[in-house]
mmCIF file of all heavy atoms in Angstrom:
data_model
loop_
_atom_site.group_PDB
_atom_site.id
_atom_site.type_symbol
_atom_site.label_atom_id
_atom_site.label_comp_id
_atom_site.label_asym_id
_atom_site.label_seq_id
_atom_site.Cartn_x
_atom_site.Cartn_y
_atom_site.Cartn_z
ATOM 1 N N ALA A 158 -17.993 12.588 -43.813
ATOM 2 C CA ALA A 158 -18.004 13.799 -44.617
ATOM 3 C C ALA A 158 -18.042 15.034 -43.734
ATOM 4 O O ALA A 158 -18.567 15.017 -42.620
ATOM 5 C CB ALA A 158 -19.210 13.805 -45.563
ATOM 6 N N VAL A 159 -17.476 16.136 -44.265
ATOM 7 C CA VAL A 159 -17.450 17.410 -43.571
ATOM 8 C C VAL A 159 -18.768 18.125 -43.806
ATOM 9 O O VAL A 159 -19.196 18.312 -44.946
ATOM 10 C CB VAL A 159 -16.283 18.273 -44.086
ATOM 11 C CG1 VAL A 159 -16.314 19.660 -43.432
ATOM 12 C CG2 VAL A 159 -14.953 17.581 -43.819
ATOM 13 N N SER A 160 -19.437 18.534 -42.722
ATOM 14 C CA SER A 160 -20.710 19.248 -42.848
ATOM 15 C C SER A 160 -20.570 20.725 -42.514
ATOM 16 O O SER A 160 -21.444 21.521 -42.838
ATOM 17 C CB SER A 160 -21.767 18.615 -41.940
ATOM 18 O OG SER A 160 -21.371 18.694 -40.583
ATOM 19 N N GLN A 161 -19.461 21.107 -41.837
ATOM 20 C CA GLN A 161 -19.262 22.512 -41.495
ATOM 21 C C GLN A 161 -17.782 22.763 -41.250
ATOM 22 O O GLN A 161 -17.083 21.919 -40.684
ATOM 23 C CB GLN A 161 -20.068 22.874 -40.241
ATOM 24 C CG GLN A 161 -19.957 24.336 -39.843
ATOM 25 C CD GLN A 161 -20.710 24.636 -38.558
ATOM 26 O OE1 GLN A 161 -21.351 23.764 -37.987
ATOM 27 N NE2 GLN A 161 -20.641 25.876 -38.089
ATOM 28 N N ILE A 162 -17.290 23.912 -41.689
ATOM 29 C CA ILE A 162 -15.924 24.351 -41.427
ATOM 30 C C ILE A 162 -15.987 25.509 -40.448
ATOM 31 O O ILE A 162 -16.693 26.487 -40.680
ATOM 32 C CB ILE A 162 -15.219 24.813 -42.722
ATOM 33 C CG1 ILE A 162 -15.252 23.723 -43.799
ATOM 34 C CG2 ILE A 162 -13.788 25.240 -42.416
ATOM 35 C CD1 ILE A 162 -14.396 22.536 -43.527
ATOM 36 N N LEU A 163 -15.275 25.419 -39.339
ATOM 37 C CA LEU A 163 -15.298 26.483 -38.347
ATOM 38 C C LEU A 163 -14.360 27.614 -38.764
ATOM 39 O O LEU A 163 -13.250 27.378 -39.242
ATOM 40 C CB LEU A 163 -14.885 25.943 -36.975
ATOM 41 C CG LEU A 163 -15.704 24.753 -36.453
ATOM 42 C CD1 LEU A 163 -15.262 24.380 -35.043
ATOM 43 C CD2 LEU A 163 -17.193 25.069 -36.468
ATOM 44 N N ASN A 164 -14.816 28.850 -38.571
ATOM 45 C CA ASN A 164 -14.024 30.015 -38.955
ATOM 46 C C ASN A 164 -12.705 30.065 -38.199
ATOM 47 O O ASN A 164 -12.661 29.855 -36.984
ATOM 48 C CB ASN A 164 -14.812 31.303 -38.685
ATOM 49 C CG ASN A 164 -16.007 31.454 -39.606
ATOM 50 O OD1 ASN A 164 -15.999 30.950 -40.725
ATOM 51 N ND2 ASN A 164 -17.036 32.153 -39.138
ATOM 52 N N GLY A 165 -11.633 30.334 -38.932
ATOM 53 C CA GLY A 165 -10.321 30.453 -38.320
ATOM 54 C C GLY A 165 -9.712 29.144 -37.873
ATOM 55 O O GLY A 165 -8.710 29.136 -37.153
ATOM 56 N N SER A 166 -10.289 28.026 -38.286
ATOM 57 C CA SER A 166 -9.824 26.711 -37.828
ATOM 58 C C SER A 166 -8.695 26.180 -38.704
ATOM 59 O O SER A 166 -8.392 26.714 -39.781
ATOM 60 C CB SER A 166 -10.983 25.713 -37.853
ATOM 61 O OG SER A 166 -11.397 25.494 -39.203
ATOM 62 N N ALA A 167 -8.089 25.093 -38.236
ATOM 63 C CA ALA A 167 -7.048 24.420 -39.013
ATOM 64 C C ALA A 167 -7.600 23.934 -40.346
ATOM 65 O O ALA A 167 -6.911 23.968 -41.369
ATOM 66 C CB ALA A 167 -6.479 23.251 -38.207
ATOM 67 N N ALA A 168 -8.851 23.478 -40.332
ATOM 68 C CA ALA A 168 -9.476 22.984 -41.563
ATOM 69 C C ALA A 168 -9.612 24.097 -42.594
ATOM 70 O O ALA A 168 -9.355 23.901 -43.786
ATOM 71 C CB ALA A 168 -10.848 22.390 -41.241
ATOM 72 N N GLU A 169 -10.026 25.282 -42.138
ATOM 73 C CA GLU A 169 -10.171 26.412 -43.059
ATOM 74 C C GLU A 169 -8.817 26.811 -43.622
ATOM 75 O O GLU A 169 -8.677 27.068 -44.832
ATOM 76 C CB GLU A 169 -10.813 27.593 -42.331
ATOM 77 C CG GLU A 169 -11.119 28.778 -43.242
ATOM 78 C CD GLU A 169 -11.794 29.914 -42.501
ATOM 79 O OE1 GLU A 169 -11.202 30.397 -41.507
ATOM 80 O OE2 GLU A 169 -12.904 30.296 -42.909
ATOM 81 N N GLU A 170 -7.791 26.861 -42.758
ATOM 82 C CA GLU A 170 -6.446 27.213 -43.210
ATOM 83 C C GLU A 170 -5.916 26.206 -44.228
ATOM 84 O O GLU A 170 -5.212 26.572 -45.170
ATOM 85 C CB GLU A 170 -5.492 27.285 -42.009
ATOM 86 C CG GLU A 170 -5.769 28.429 -41.048
ATOM 87 C CD GLU A 170 -5.379 29.786 -41.624
ATOM 88 O OE1 GLU A 170 -4.453 29.825 -42.452
ATOM 89 O OE2 GLU A 170 -6.010 30.793 -41.258
ATOM 90 N N ALA A 171 -6.267 24.929 -44.048
ATOM 91 C CA ALA A 171 -5.750 23.873 -44.931
ATOM 92 C C ALA A 171 -6.517 23.793 -46.244
ATOM 93 O O ALA A 171 -6.053 23.137 -47.186
ATOM 94 C CB ALA A 171 -5.810 22.531 -44.214
ATOM 95 N N GLY A 172 -7.698 24.414 -46.313
ATOM 96 C CA GLY A 172 -8.460 24.388 -47.554
ATOM 97 C C GLY A 172 -9.500 23.298 -47.643
ATOM 98 O O GLY A 172 -9.993 22.989 -48.733
ATOM 99 N N LEU A 173 -9.875 22.690 -46.498
ATOM 100 C CA LEU A 173 -10.978 21.731 -46.516
ATOM 101 C C LEU A 173 -12.276 22.451 -46.880
ATOM 102 O O LEU A 173 -12.448 23.632 -46.552
ATOM 103 C CB LEU A 173 -11.135 21.062 -45.153
ATOM 104 C CG LEU A 173 -10.274 19.823 -44.868
ATOM 105 C CD1 LEU A 173 -10.440 19.415 -43.413
ATOM 106 C CD2 LEU A 173 -10.633 18.672 -45.772
ATOM 107 N N GLU A 174 -13.190 21.740 -47.536
ATOM 108 C CA GLU A 174 -14.459 22.329 -47.936
ATOM 109 C C GLU A 174 -15.623 21.472 -47.456
ATOM 110 O O GLU A 174 -15.482 20.251 -47.288
ATOM 111 C CB GLU A 174 -14.529 22.464 -49.464
ATOM 112 C CG GLU A 174 -13.479 23.402 -50.043
ATOM 113 C CD GLU A 174 -13.590 23.530 -51.554
ATOM 114 O OE1 GLU A 174 -14.524 22.931 -52.139
ATOM 115 O OE2 GLU A 174 -12.744 24.235 -52.147
ATOM 116 N N VAL A 175 -16.760 22.104 -47.211
ATOM 117 C CA VAL A 175 -17.971 21.376 -46.859
ATOM 118 C C VAL A 175 -18.298 20.382 -47.970
ATOM 119 O O VAL A 175 -18.249 20.724 -49.157
ATOM 120 C CB VAL A 175 -19.152 22.344 -46.643
ATOM 121 C CG1 VAL A 175 -20.460 21.572 -46.485
ATOM 122 C CG2 VAL A 175 -18.905 23.228 -45.437
ATOM 123 N N GLY A 176 -18.604 19.145 -47.589
ATOM 124 C CA GLY A 176 -18.877 18.096 -48.566
ATOM 125 C C GLY A 176 -17.685 17.204 -48.838
ATOM 126 O O GLY A 176 -17.837 16.135 -49.440
ATOM 127 N N ASP A 177 -16.478 17.628 -48.417
ATOM 128 C CA ASP A 177 -15.312 16.755 -48.559
ATOM 129 C C ASP A 177 -15.544 15.474 -47.774
ATOM 130 O O ASP A 177 -16.050 15.504 -46.643
ATOM 131 C CB ASP A 177 -14.048 17.437 -48.023
ATOM 132 C CG ASP A 177 -13.494 18.482 -48.980
ATOM 133 O OD1 ASP A 177 -13.985 18.557 -50.117
ATOM 134 O OD2 ASP A 177 -12.577 19.221 -48.578
ATOM 135 N N ILE A 178 -15.175 14.362 -48.363
ATOM 136 C CA ILE A 178 -15.290 13.064 -47.693
ATOM 137 C C ILE A 178 -13.903 12.644 -47.236
ATOM 138 O O ILE A 178 -13.014 12.419 -48.058
ATOM 139 C CB ILE A 178 -15.899 12.003 -48.624
ATOM 140 C CG1 ILE A 178 -17.313 12.437 -49.056
ATOM 141 C CG2 ILE A 178 -15.953 10.647 -47.942
ATOM 142 C CD1 ILE A 178 -17.883 11.592 -50.169
ATOM 143 N N ILE A 179 -13.708 12.576 -45.928
ATOM 144 C CA ILE A 179 -12.392 12.232 -45.366
ATOM 145 C C ILE A 179 -12.295 10.718 -45.245
ATOM 146 O O ILE A 179 -13.102 10.091 -44.556
ATOM 147 C CB ILE A 179 -12.197 12.904 -43.993
ATOM 148 C CG1 ILE A 179 -12.311 14.424 -44.138
ATOM 149 C CG2 ILE A 179 -10.838 12.511 -43.399
ATOM 150 C CD1 ILE A 179 -12.276 15.170 -42.821
ATOM 151 N N VAL A 180 -11.321 10.140 -45.928
ATOM 152 C CA VAL A 180 -11.195 8.680 -45.942
ATOM 153 C C VAL A 180 -9.927 8.183 -45.245
ATOM 154 O O VAL A 180 -9.835 7.007 -44.900
ATOM 155 C CB VAL A 180 -11.250 8.130 -47.386
ATOM 156 C CG1 VAL A 180 -12.630 8.355 -47.987
ATOM 157 C CG2 VAL A 180 -10.183 8.764 -48.265
ATOM 158 N N GLU A 181 -8.931 9.069 -45.045
ATOM 159 C CA GLU A 181 -7.696 8.655 -44.378
ATOM 160 C C GLU A 181 -7.141 9.796 -43.538
ATOM 161 O O GLU A 181 -7.273 10.972 -43.906
ATOM 162 C CB GLU A 181 -6.619 8.241 -45.389
ATOM 163 C CG GLU A 181 -6.855 6.924 -46.088
ATOM 164 C CD GLU A 181 -5.688 6.543 -47.002
ATOM 165 O OE1 GLU A 181 -4.786 7.399 -47.207
ATOM 166 O OE2 GLU A 181 -5.678 5.414 -47.509
ATOM 167 N N VAL A 182 -6.519 9.446 -42.408
ATOM 168 C CA VAL A 182 -5.744 10.372 -41.590
ATOM 169 C C VAL A 182 -4.363 9.765 -41.399
ATOM 170 O O VAL A 182 -4.231 8.654 -40.878
ATOM 171 C CB VAL A 182 -6.410 10.632 -40.223
ATOM 172 C CG1 VAL A 182 -5.522 11.532 -39.367
ATOM 173 C CG2 VAL A 182 -7.776 11.265 -40.401
ATOM 174 N N ASN A 183 -3.333 10.476 -41.856
ATOM 175 C CA ASN A 183 -1.951 9.995 -41.769
ATOM 176 C C ASN A 183 -1.791 8.591 -42.359
ATOM 177 O O ASN A 183 -1.125 7.727 -41.794
ATOM 178 C CB ASN A 183 -1.457 10.033 -40.325
ATOM 179 C CG ASN A 183 -1.250 11.451 -39.829
ATOM 180 O OD1 ASN A 183 -1.057 12.374 -40.607
ATOM 181 N ND2 ASN A 183 -1.304 11.641 -38.522
ATOM 182 N N GLY A 184 -2.467 8.367 -43.485
ATOM 183 C CA GLY A 184 -2.332 7.103 -44.199
ATOM 184 C C GLY A 184 -3.168 5.968 -43.661
ATOM 185 O O GLY A 184 -3.161 4.875 -44.218
ATOM 186 N N LYS A 185 -3.931 6.213 -42.581
ATOM 187 C CA LYS A 185 -4.767 5.160 -42.002
ATOM 188 C C LYS A 185 -6.230 5.453 -42.302
ATOM 189 O O LYS A 185 -6.715 6.550 -42.084
ATOM 190 C CB LYS A 185 -4.559 5.082 -40.481
ATOM 191 C CG LYS A 185 -5.338 3.955 -39.824
ATOM 192 C CD LYS A 185 -5.052 3.873 -38.328
ATOM 193 C CE LYS A 185 -5.834 2.760 -37.671
ATOM 194 N NZ LYS A 185 -5.591 2.681 -36.211
ATOM 195 N N ALA A 186 -6.938 4.451 -42.805
ATOM 196 C CA ALA A 186 -8.338 4.622 -43.173
ATOM 197 C C ALA A 186 -9.188 4.942 -41.957
ATOM 198 O O ALA A 186 -8.958 4.411 -40.863
ATOM 199 C CB ALA A 186 -8.853 3.361 -43.857
ATOM 200 N N VAL A 187 -10.168 5.832 -42.121
ATOM 201 C CA VAL A 187 -11.161 6.102 -41.077
ATOM 202 C C VAL A 187 -12.514 5.619 -41.590
ATOM 203 O O VAL A 187 -12.907 5.910 -42.711
ATOM 204 C CB VAL A 187 -11.219 7.601 -40.701
ATOM 205 C CG1 VAL A 187 -9.968 8.011 -39.973
ATOM 206 C CG2 VAL A 187 -11.412 8.486 -41.928
ATOM 207 N N ASP A 188 -13.204 4.850 -40.762
ATOM 208 C CA ASP A 188 -14.435 4.177 -41.184
ATOM 209 C C ASP A 188 -15.702 4.866 -40.710
ATOM 210 O O ASP A 188 -16.802 4.446 -41.050
ATOM 211 C CB ASP A 188 -14.444 2.721 -40.679
ATOM 212 C CG ASP A 188 -13.319 1.904 -41.296
ATOM 213 O OD1 ASP A 188 -12.936 2.201 -42.438
ATOM 214 O OD2 ASP A 188 -12.832 0.979 -40.627
ATOM 215 N N SER A 189 -15.566 5.914 -39.880
ATOM 216 C CA SER A 189 -16.754 6.584 -39.367
ATOM 217 C C SER A 189 -16.349 7.931 -38.807
ATOM 218 O O SER A 189 -15.159 8.236 -38.630
ATOM 219 C CB SER A 189 -17.409 5.748 -38.258
ATOM 220 O OG SER A 189 -16.567 5.708 -37.116
ATOM 221 N N ALA A 190 -17.372 8.744 -38.503
ATOM 222 C CA ALA A 190 -17.113 10.040 -37.887
ATOM 223 C C ALA A 190 -16.403 9.871 -36.539
ATOM 224 O O ALA A 190 -15.525 10.650 -36.182
ATOM 225 C CB ALA A 190 -18.427 10.805 -37.706
ATOM 226 N N GLY A 191 -16.782 8.838 -35.784
ATOM 227 C CA GLY A 191 -16.150 8.586 -34.495
ATOM 228 C C GLY A 191 -14.676 8.262 -34.625
ATOM 229 O O GLY A 191 -13.848 8.714 -33.827
#
Side-chain angles (χ1 to χ4, degrees):
V159 176
S160 61
Q161 182 183 358
I162 305 290
L163 304 184
N164 292 332
S166 66
E169 185 178 57
E170 292 288 331
L173 274 173
E174 297 181 3
V175 171
D177 283 351
I178 299 169
I179 301 174
V180 293
E181 288 184 351
V182 176
N183 290 337
K185 183 177 180 181
V187 290
D188 296 329
S189 68

